[in-house]
Amino acid sequence: MAMTPRENFKAAMDRSGPEWVPLDMGKHIGSIHKKHYAALRPLLPDLDLRNESVILDRMAQTVVPDEALLQHFNVDFRWLVPHWVQVKERHDVDGYIDMWGVPYKGADGDHYAVDGAPLKAADSIADIDAHDWPDPEDPAQFAGLGDRARELYETTGYVIGADAIKAGPLMSCLQIRGYEQFFVDMVVNPEFSDALMQKVTDLICRMWTRFMDEVGPYVQIAYVTDDLGTQTSLLLSPKLYRKRVKPFHTQLHEHIKGCADVKLMMHTDGAVLPLIDDLIETGADILNPVQTSTAGMGDTAALKERFGGRIAFHGAMDVQQMMPNATRAELKWEIARRMKDLGPDGGYIIAPCHNIGHDIPPENTLAFFGMVREMGRYPLDLDAVLASDASYFERLNREGEA
């Protein structure tokens, strides 16, 4: 008897004989930009796609994928996303102020970007205490999610995920304080930076308590986000991370896993190879997004060999360079390579490594999901595809050397 996606996910995480490589799409970092969604619709005339204006992540302008599309793409996951609450609209520009008091400004309807830092001028811990902090127990943030979780659990076999409350301890502090100032704080004013990190982490933990009160009995995975890397390096040194940030990640991750029996997936973009051991020590079970176009993250076979016994991998399908520019043969080769490197015994969830942007040809998106369905069943038989050596990244390097 065939496994359900939920059973297959467990087998993949336990490395105990999954039937296929689990496939994910649809959480708030990992959905489809509204312009790309509109471009997909005429290519799928038999699907009733209505959600191109139903925004999932206001900052990134991604949409809530229609159930018909998730089924068409054979996506194994269904995500429960907290509602945007305690948000104020701006009247000076196209923008809003989020629940943390951080202002955002629109960029021609494409996305929204941080447009200021409410505690930039703060000079004491008293200023932290005086800030207008969000209500972590706001019932509107999780309204209806418990019923939806129970329905999915009882009537489907999908993997059910608790999507990130759109806040991580470090990124929230960087936005609230200002990036440059908070990095300075961590070095020259650590009492202030620790106090701000502790305040934010405590609030996020309280939000997760409320979230798990609603959905905890039904979910198998919880997703947290906090970027630590750039294209070529870390945002901060390993030493500074371990001293000033890691304790708060550990507090948050242990808190969530104490609220429900879940695998914890940690999202951090960029060149984070030097911190993977640390992330494992914080309690992360799955690393997302494995951004293969960044320094140190492209050798996925080496990542699997070094860390695969202690952490699973999610993503690895580059949306920054590869999916927008790869030929059909290169896209197929890339899928085969990442499956072979990261998933021979389980321990891998294939997915676009970030949002599917409108710079990606919609034909490549359709091809990606079709190829995963075609190639992703165990035992993985990928040698014929890999024999073509149709690597997008190697072509890019050759063209750069020419």
Side-chain angles (χ1 to χ4, degrees):
M1 185 174 179
M3 290 180 174
T4 66
R6 197 175 305 155
E7 292 164 343
N8 187 68
F9 168 74
K10 185 178 187 307
M13 294 303 98
D14 293 343
R15 284 67 159 180
S16 61
E19 293 183 3
W20 67 90
V21 178
L23 171 64
D24 187 23
M25 191 272 287
K27 59 192 183 308
H28 87 274
I29 301 178
S31 185
I32 302 175
H33 191 277
K34 63 183 182 183
K35 294 179 181 178
H36 188 92
Y37 207 81
L40 282 175
R41 188 149 55 90
L43 301 180
L44 297 167
D46 294 333
L47 298 186
D48 185 18
L49 301 184
R50 306 181 180 187
N51 282 9
E52 66 187 67
S53 299
V54 182
I55 299 300
L56 175 66
D57 180 349
R58 186 168 179 180
M59 183 181 75
Q61 291 292 285
T62 54
V63 305
V64 177
D66 283 280
E67 177 63 24
L69 187 67
L70 295 175
Q71 291 184 20
H72 180 75
F73 285 162
N74 285 328
V75 174
D76 294 309
F77 293 71
R78 297 296 184 270
W79 289 96
L80 304 164
V81 186
H83 306 299
W84 283 65
V85 297
Q86 304 174 61
V87 175
K88 301 180 181 70
E89 299 300 322
R90 294 180 65 175
H91 302 292
D92 54 336
V93 296
D94 172 26
Y96 61 94
I97 300 171
D98 74 8
M99 68 191 308
W100 303 96
V102 176
Y104 286 78
K105 181 179 180 180
D108 300 321
D110 185 77
H111 65 279
Y112 288 79
V114 173
D115 188 38
L119 284 181
K120 185 174 184 178
D123 57 15
S124 71
I125 292 175
D127 292 326
I128 296 175
D129 295 334
H131 182 60
D132 185 15
W133 294 104
D135 172 11
E137 274 86 35
D138 186 344
Q141 190 170 14
F142 309 109
L145 296 184
D147 290 340
R148 174 62 174 158
R150 184 174 61 254
E151 177 190 18
L152 285 168
Y153 186 82
E154 293 177 350
T155 65
T156 80
Y158 296 122
V159 186
I160 307 169
D163 201 354
I165 294 164
K166 196 168 170 50
L170 177 60
M171 294 308 296
S172 295
C173 289
L174 289 169
Q175 293 170 356
I176 292 166
R177 178 68 162 153
Y179 283 68
E180 181 178 350
Q181 185 58 58
F182 192 70
F183 281 128
V184 171
D185 290 337
M186 284 194 285
V187 176
V188 304
N189 192 4
E191 182 181 4
F192 183 94
S193 71
D194 284 356
L196 186 56
M197 287 279 283
Q198 190 66 68
K199 180 67 176 181
V200 169
T201 303
D202 287 345
L203 287 169
I204 297 172
C205 284
R206 290 170 64 188
M207 291 177 188
W208 273 101
T209 298
R210 184 71 178 81
F211 194 8
M212 290 303 188
D213 284 346
E214 293 287 337
V215 307
Y218 311 110
V219 296
Q220 294 78 53
I221 183 171
Y223 183 52
V224 296
T225 69
D226 218 356
D227 287 341
L228 300 171
T230 69
Q231 289 292 118
T232 58
S233 66
L234 296 170
L235 284 173
L236 68 174
S237 72
K239 181 179 178 181
L240 190 60
Y241 171 77
R242 289 164 191 150
K243 191 164 188 177
R244 300 265 79 90
V245 180
K246 185 177 178 180
F248 300 101
H249 281 163
T250 302
Q251 177 189 341
L252 176 60
H253 299 174
E254 290 181 349
H255 177 81
I256 294 169
K257 294 172 79 170
C259 291
D261 180 16
V262 291
K263 296 293 185 183
L264 187 134
M265 180 159 68
M266 168 79 179
H267 165 91
T268 173
D269 290 327
V272 296
L273 177 63
L275 295 183
I276 293 177
D277 277 319
D278 295 280
L279 298 177
I280 293 168
E281 290 170 4
T282 69
D285 301 299
I286 307 167
L287 177 65
N288 160 269
V290 192
Q291 195 176 355
T292 55
S293 59
T294 63
M297 300 300 288
D299 190 345
T300 42
L303 291 176
K304 180 73 170 185
E305 181 178 3
R306 182 174 172 185
F307 304 107
R310 295 176 291 142
I311 197 166
F313 299 96
H314 179 291
M317 299 306 303
D318 180 67
V319 298
Q320 192 171 40
Q321 298 181 35
M322 189 275 297
M323 284 188 70
N325 300 302
T327 65
R328 198 63 54 85
E330 289 168 342
L331 178 61
K332 189 170 187 176
W333 189 93
E334 183 74 8
I335 294 167
R337 178 190 176 183
R338 305 310 173 184
M339 284 182 173
K340 183 176 178 65
D341 285 356
L342 296 172
D345 61 346
Y348 178 45
I349 302 162
I350 193 167
C353 75
H354 209 282
N355 296 319
I356 300 174
H358 52 77
D359 59 336
I360 296 173
E363 294 82 3
N364 273 10
T365 299
L366 298 181
F368 165 75
F369 287 101
M371 290 172 182
V372 170
R373 181 168 60 245
E374 172 192 343
M375 295 190 292
R377 298 200 71 85
Y378 289 98
L380 297 175
D381 182 13
L382 304 169
D383 290 345
V385 176
L386 293 170
S388 71
D389 289 327
S391 168
Y392 165 78
F393 288 108
E394 289 187 13
R395 172 169 68 85
L396 191 66
N397 290 336
R398 289 195 301 270
E399 291 173 354
E401 293 170 357

